[in-house]
PDB file of all heavy atoms in Angstrom:
ATOM      1  N   TYR A 662      -5.549  12.086   4.946  1.00 97.00           N
ATOM      2  CA  TYR A 662      -5.325  11.414   3.669  1.00 97.00           C
ATOM      3  C   TYR A 662      -5.449   9.909   3.879  1.00 97.00           C
ATOM      4  O   TYR A 662      -5.083   9.385   4.931  1.00 97.00           O
ATOM      5  CB  TYR A 662      -3.941  11.752   3.110  1.00 97.00           C
ATOM      6  CG  TYR A 662      -3.782  13.214   2.795  1.00 97.00           C
ATOM      7  CD1 TYR A 662      -3.284  14.089   3.743  1.00 97.00           C
ATOM      8  CD2 TYR A 662      -4.153  13.720   1.551  1.00 97.00           C
ATOM      9  CE1 TYR A 662      -3.147  15.443   3.469  1.00 97.00           C
ATOM     10  CE2 TYR A 662      -4.020  15.073   1.260  1.00 97.00           C
ATOM     11  CZ  TYR A 662      -3.519  15.927   2.228  1.00 97.00           C
ATOM     12  OH  TYR A 662      -3.393  17.252   1.955  1.00 97.00           O
ATOM     13  N   TYR A 663      -5.935   9.231   2.840  1.00 97.00           N
ATOM     14  CA  TYR A 663      -6.200   7.803   2.921  1.00 97.00           C
ATOM     15  C   TYR A 663      -5.633   7.111   1.693  1.00 97.00           C
ATOM     16  O   TYR A 663      -5.734   7.646   0.579  1.00 97.00           O
ATOM     17  CB  TYR A 663      -7.708   7.541   2.990  1.00 97.00           C
ATOM     18  CG  TYR A 663      -8.382   8.332   4.086  1.00 97.00           C
ATOM     19  CD1 TYR A 663      -8.775   9.649   3.880  1.00 97.00           C
ATOM     20  CD2 TYR A 663      -8.591   7.765   5.331  1.00 97.00           C
ATOM     21  CE1 TYR A 663      -9.376  10.371   4.891  1.00 97.00           C
ATOM     22  CE2 TYR A 663      -9.196   8.479   6.346  1.00 97.00           C
ATOM     23  CZ  TYR A 663      -9.581   9.793   6.120  1.00 97.00           C
ATOM     24  OH  TYR A 663     -10.163  10.510   7.127  1.00 97.00           O
ATOM     25  N   LYS A 664      -5.068   5.918   1.902  1.00 94.00           N
ATOM     26  CA  LYS A 664      -4.586   5.134   0.768  1.00 94.00           C
ATOM     27  C   LYS A 664      -5.791   4.527   0.061  1.00 94.00           C
ATOM     28  O   LYS A 664      -6.675   3.956   0.698  1.00 94.00           O
ATOM     29  CB  LYS A 664      -3.671   4.000   1.230  1.00 94.00           C
ATOM     30  CG  LYS A 664      -2.304   4.417   1.675  1.00 94.00           C
ATOM     31  CD  LYS A 664      -1.494   3.180   2.020  1.00 94.00           C
ATOM     32  CE  LYS A 664      -0.124   3.536   2.522  1.00 94.00           C
ATOM     33  NZ  LYS A 664       0.652   2.314   2.836  1.00 94.00           N
ATOM     34  N   LEU A 665      -5.783   4.633  -1.243  1.00 94.00           N
ATOM     35  CA  LEU A 665      -6.859   4.048  -2.029  1.00 94.00           C
ATOM     36  C   LEU A 665      -6.931   2.541  -1.799  1.00 94.00           C
ATOM     37  O   LEU A 665      -8.016   1.969  -1.693  1.00 94.00           O
ATOM     38  CB  LEU A 665      -6.651   4.366  -3.513  1.00 94.00           C
ATOM     39  CG  LEU A 665      -7.820   4.136  -4.439  1.00 94.00           C
ATOM     40  CD1 LEU A 665      -9.055   4.874  -3.973  1.00 94.00           C
ATOM     41  CD2 LEU A 665      -7.471   4.549  -5.845  1.00 94.00           C
ATOM     42  N   SER A 666      -5.792   1.898  -1.631  1.00 93.00           N
ATOM     43  CA  SER A 666      -5.771   0.453  -1.399  1.00 93.00           C
ATOM     44  C   SER A 666      -6.428   0.089  -0.063  1.00 93.00           C
ATOM     45  O   SER A 666      -7.067  -0.957   0.052  1.00 93.00           O
ATOM     46  CB  SER A 666      -4.343  -0.086  -1.447  1.00 93.00           C
ATOM     47  OG  SER A 666      -3.566   0.475  -0.408  1.00 93.00           O
ATOM     48  N   ASP A 667      -6.302   0.954   0.955  1.00 95.00           N
ATOM     49  CA  ASP A 667      -6.959   0.697   2.240  1.00 95.00           C
ATOM     50  C   ASP A 667      -8.476   0.801   2.116  1.00 95.00           C
ATOM     51  O   ASP A 667      -9.213   0.036   2.734  1.00 95.00           O
ATOM     52  CB  ASP A 667      -6.463   1.677   3.314  1.00 95.00           C
ATOM     53  CG  ASP A 667      -5.045   1.396   3.765  1.00 95.00           C
ATOM     54  OD1 ASP A 667      -4.596   0.228   3.636  1.00 95.00           O
ATOM     55  OD2 ASP A 667      -4.388   2.329   4.254  1.00 95.00           O
ATOM     56  N   ILE A 668      -8.932   1.737   1.303  1.00 96.00           N
ATOM     57  CA  ILE A 668     -10.377   1.885   1.083  1.00 96.00           C
ATOM     58  C   ILE A 668     -10.909   0.671   0.330  1.00 96.00           C
ATOM     59  O   ILE A 668     -11.954   0.114   0.677  1.00 96.00           O
ATOM     60  CB  ILE A 668     -10.672   3.197   0.325  1.00 96.00           C
ATOM     61  CG1 ILE A 668     -10.276   4.385   1.212  1.00 96.00           C
ATOM     62  CG2 ILE A 668     -12.143   3.274  -0.078  1.00 96.00           C
ATOM     63  CD1 ILE A 668     -10.197   5.691   0.498  1.00 96.00           C
TER      64      ILE A 668
END
Side-chain angles (χ1 to χ4, degrees):
Y662 297 91
Y663 307 84
K664 286 183 182 181
L665 194 55
S666 63
D667 288 335
I668 295 166

